[in-house]
Amino acid sequence: MRATVIHGPNDIRIEEVPDPVIQQPTDVVLRVVNACICGSDLWAYRGVAQRVAGQRIGHEFLGVVEDAGSEVRGFAKGDFVVAPFVWSDGVCDFCLEGLQTSCPHGGFWGQVGSDGGQGEAVRVPFADGTLVKLPKETAGDEKLLPGLLALSDVMSTGHHAAVSAGVRPGATVAVVGDGAVGLCGVLAAHRLGAGRIIALGRHPARTDLARRFGATDVVAERGEAAVEAVKELTGGQGAHAVLEAVGTEESMRTAVSIARDGGAVGYVGVPHGGSAGVDIGQMFGRNVSLNGGVAPARAYIPELLPDVLSGAIEPGLVFDRTVGLDGVPDGYRAMDDRSALKVRIAF
């Protein structure tokens, strides 16, 4: 089979790799229908996050079950499924508490020794604890596929930011970051009933989508200028809930600074560059809470899925380019130079 591998910074290739096979009785093998490139994949592409030359990559995908191990109970050949970006056993204490990202038997797609999602097929460990079944008829629905694919990571992660920040009906929310996760955070905040949503971003195509997702205001400034702009919009108080979807020192500093006293920051941006943006003294004096981390997408997908199927939310709008497998290297380049927001891969 063919799959995407990374050999070093700016070196993404499509190569022949071994076909996946059942290794454990709890495995399934999926034929991938859709996958995509994540903003977090770019840290490896840019050389910020280290990878072994020839390592698989990609962690968001939809697929059809081709083979199932003898102990798999919930899935059979022909089932259409979405895979969250982490596999998990579904039975440990953490999984039962809805924190599948801390499963001691879990892992991330593309880690050394595992299949990446940007390939023709994937072996899925602990299928019963990992996968979520989708209606079979949606496998060929080009209108729904992007939204279903978004559940594997970006929509679930945006929702995690909103939940972690305590978004509630009528609340004022600010979202730091106009990438796919930040935009899905806007959508999640709107879904949860936020009364006002301030999107921080400076790319018109993205902020236009933020408004379509429910943003009421857009702040294009950065740093201290952004803090002042949000304070001005909120009568000097700041936002009840701030969603941080970037992961840099500056973005964290901005997020904490624009939170209202007694408010909360939900952080889901993959950290890079240290944690100096978190000023505990400032947070202590103003009673600002900090919650978040890696989103347990497996816990959120069943909640969000009905709204995607009904069309109540359309997170798939974050995909602004679709390529075949051979187009993946160009897709990375396009996301790296910001000529594409998020690239979908159709097989």
Side-chain angles (χ1 to χ4, degrees):
M1 59 166 271
R2 301 167 72 231
T4 307
V5 298
I6 183 167
H7 283 267
N10 305 304
D11 189 358
I12 293 287
R13 307 179 196 174
I14 308 303
E15 296 182 347
E16 293 286 335
V17 300
D19 291 336
V21 295
I22 299 295
Q23 297 180 15
Q24 300 294 331
T26 53
D27 292 348
V28 303
V29 171
L30 296 182
R31 172 177 56 83
V32 177
V33 172
N34 266 196
C36 57
I37 302 170
C38 184
S40 63
D41 292 331
L42 295 180
W43 298 118
Y45 181 73
R46 294 165 178 161
V48 177
Q50 296 301 310
R51 294 291 186 272
V52 176
Q55 189 173 338
R56 299 280 296 278
I57 194 167
H59 54 263
E60 303 155 283
F61 55 96
L62 307 172
V64 175
V65 175
E66 291 291 310
D67 194 9
S70 60
E71 294 181 14
V72 174
R73 298 290 176 260
F75 302 95
K77 182 177 174 63
D79 285 341
F80 184 44
V81 299
V82 56
F85 63 89
V86 170
W87 73 77
S88 53
D89 64 21
V91 297
C92 72
D93 289 345
F94 290 108
C95 285
L96 295 177
E97 293 168 5
L99 193 62
Q100 290 88 344
T101 49
S102 291
C103 176
H105 301 120
F108 290 82
W109 309 111
Q111 69 185 45
V112 175
S114 74
D115 295 333
Q118 295 166 13
E120 294 177 327
V122 175
R123 180 183 72 88
V124 178
F126 302 109
D128 285 329
T130 300
L131 301 173
V132 177
K133 192 178 298 186
L134 301 171
K136 284 188 179 181
E137 64 273 14
T138 62
D141 190 330
E142 279 298 317
K143 180 174 173 54
L144 276 178
L145 283 175
L148 297 172
L149 180 60
L151 291 174
S152 65
D153 186 346
V154 288
M155 184 61 212
S156 294
T157 298
H159 180 68
H160 185 53
V163 170
S164 298
V167 175
R168 62 185 186 276
T172 295
V173 178
V175 181
V176 181
D178 61 1
V181 169
L183 292 171
C184 285
V186 171
L187 185 57
H190 182 68
R191 177 180 175 274
L192 291 172
R196 187 176 196 181
I197 303 173
I198 304 166
L200 280 68
R202 55 174 53 190
H203 303 91
R206 300 182 180 198
T207 54
D208 286 349
L209 184 54
R211 289 189 183 278
R212 183 168 177 178
F213 278 172
T216 54
D217 304 272
V218 170
V219 168
E221 292 83 0
R222 299 178 68 174
E224 288 301 319
V227 174
E228 290 304 313
V230 173
K231 290 289 184 69
E232 184 175 349
L233 285 171
T234 57
Q237 294 185 342
H240 298 100
V242 181
L243 283 54
E244 191 285 318
V246 182
T248 63
E249 291 186 13
E250 182 182 54
S251 65
M252 287 296 294
R253 189 176 296 112
T254 296
V256 171
S257 297
I258 64 177
R260 175 190 176 110
D261 287 17
V265 175
Y267 71 104
V268 296
V270 178
H272 44 281
S275 57
V278 178
D279 184 338
I280 297 298
Q282 180 191 23
M283 294 169 62
F284 180 85
R286 298 175 47 232
N287 281 281
V288 172
S289 301
L290 182 64
N291 305 291
V294 185
R298 181 59 183 81
Y300 294 136
I301 291 172
E303 174 186 348
L304 298 169
L305 177 58
D307 282 359
V308 172
L309 292 173
S310 71
I313 59 173
E314 295 184 86
L317 293 173
V318 298
F319 295 104
D320 57 351
R321 185 173 302 187
T322 299
V323 300
L325 187 56
D326 287 327
V328 170
D330 285 337
Y332 272 84
R333 284 189 283 271
M335 286 182 60
D336 186 45
D337 67 20
R338 290 184 175 268
S339 59
L341 168 60
K342 189 166 179 67
V343 175
R344 180 169 69 112
I345 306 163
F347 291 84

